[in-house]
Amino acid sequence: MDNRKPTLNLGSGKDWRKDCINADIQPEKKPDWVLDITKVPWGQRLITRLGDFYVEPGMFSEIIANDVLEHIPDLVSAMTNCKNLLQSGGTMNIHVPYDLSYGAWQDPTHVRAFNENSFLYYTDWHWYLNWPDKFTLTQMGYELSEIGQEMLEKKTPQDIILRTPRAVDALQVILTKD
């Protein structure tokens, strides 16, 4: 018997996944759960095609946030709720636009972009948010643009690539709940 808890696919709109509980703020995207992640309805019964659940802390083993965090005005509330929805040892897999990329600001619905320091308050500086627990940064990767790929091939140091406008398109981050 598999005791693994389900995966939450946050902001599932264009990335609906058969093996996840798909959550989106827009009902027209037909998610399993119409959810504003900044206002989690704790204690509510959630009826999905993967089963019935009560919305409670630690109910997910994984959260996928693929191109969604850049759209959320109150990111601290969203990240707090994501942390609380995850079981201990659960992971949050994040894909976000890099702050110097074209994609960071071409979309008028983006309210922020990210860089390699953007997750410090959810990990090392969690005390600043009055969190009793935190995330650990497990992995951080960079999705390079054509410019970044050319720089990498020329053996340009990573810190130069990261500071070069349009060289990095996105960050791929995995946070693990302690």
Side-chain angles (χ1 to χ4, degrees):
M1 182 173 169
D2 184 7
N3 289 328
R4 182 172 160 80
K5 295 184 179 189
T7 296
L8 177 65
N9 183 22
L10 186 62
S12 60
K14 296 185 295 186
D15 187 30
W16 196 94
R17 296 174 187 222
K18 184 171 77 170
D19 59 338
C20 297
I21 293 177
N22 294 285
D24 202 285
I25 198 168
Q26 300 177 25
E28 63 273 13
K29 302 292 183 183
K30 299 192 181 353
D32 300 306
W33 187 10
V34 176
L35 173 67
D36 176 346
I37 192 62
T38 67
K39 299 173 183 148
V40 172
W42 299 106
Q44 180 184 73
R45 185 169 180 216
L46 178 61
I47 301 169
T48 76
R49 64 196 160 67
L50 297 180
D52 295 1
F53 306 91
Y54 282 94
V55 179
E56 60 188 14
M59 68 182 287
F60 294 106
S61 60
E62 179 181 11
I63 296 175
I64 299 168
N66 187 12
D67 294 325
V68 65
L69 299 182
E70 63 272 17
H71 298 277
I72 301 174
D74 185 0
L75 190 59
V76 171
S77 292
M79 292 298 289
T80 300
N81 287 329
C82 285
K83 178 184 63 67
N84 291 337
L85 283 166
L86 280 171
Q87 66 185 23
S88 291
T91 57
M92 186 167 179
N93 295 290
I94 299 167
H95 184 274
V96 288
Y98 193 69
D99 66 356
L100 298 176
S101 69
Y102 278 125
W105 298 112
Q106 74 183 13
D107 184 338
T109 66
H110 287 184
V111 296
R112 75 180 35 78
F114 296 81
N115 63 41
E116 55 279 7
N117 291 325
S118 294
F119 296 95
L120 280 172
Y121 284 84
Y122 310 113
T123 59
D124 302 43
W125 299 347
H126 66 98
W127 52 267
Y128 189 84
L129 302 175
N130 293 316
W131 282 8
D133 52 0
K134 65 181 177 79
F135 284 113
T136 295
L137 179 64
T138 307
Q139 183 177 326
M140 182 177 293
Y142 304 96
E143 191 175 290
L144 299 179
S145 68
E146 191 174 303
I147 295 166
Q149 288 290 343
E150 290 172 6
M151 294 175 76
L152 186 63
E153 289 169 11
K154 293 178 182 174
K155 302 194 182 329
T156 304
Q158 180 175 317
D159 63 320
I160 302 297
I161 294 173
L162 294 177
R163 299 284 50 94
T164 301
R166 317 303 181 247
V168 179
D169 285 334
L171 280 177
Q172 298 164 330
V173 174
I174 298 177
L175 300 176
T176 302
K177 181 180 175 179
D178 288 352

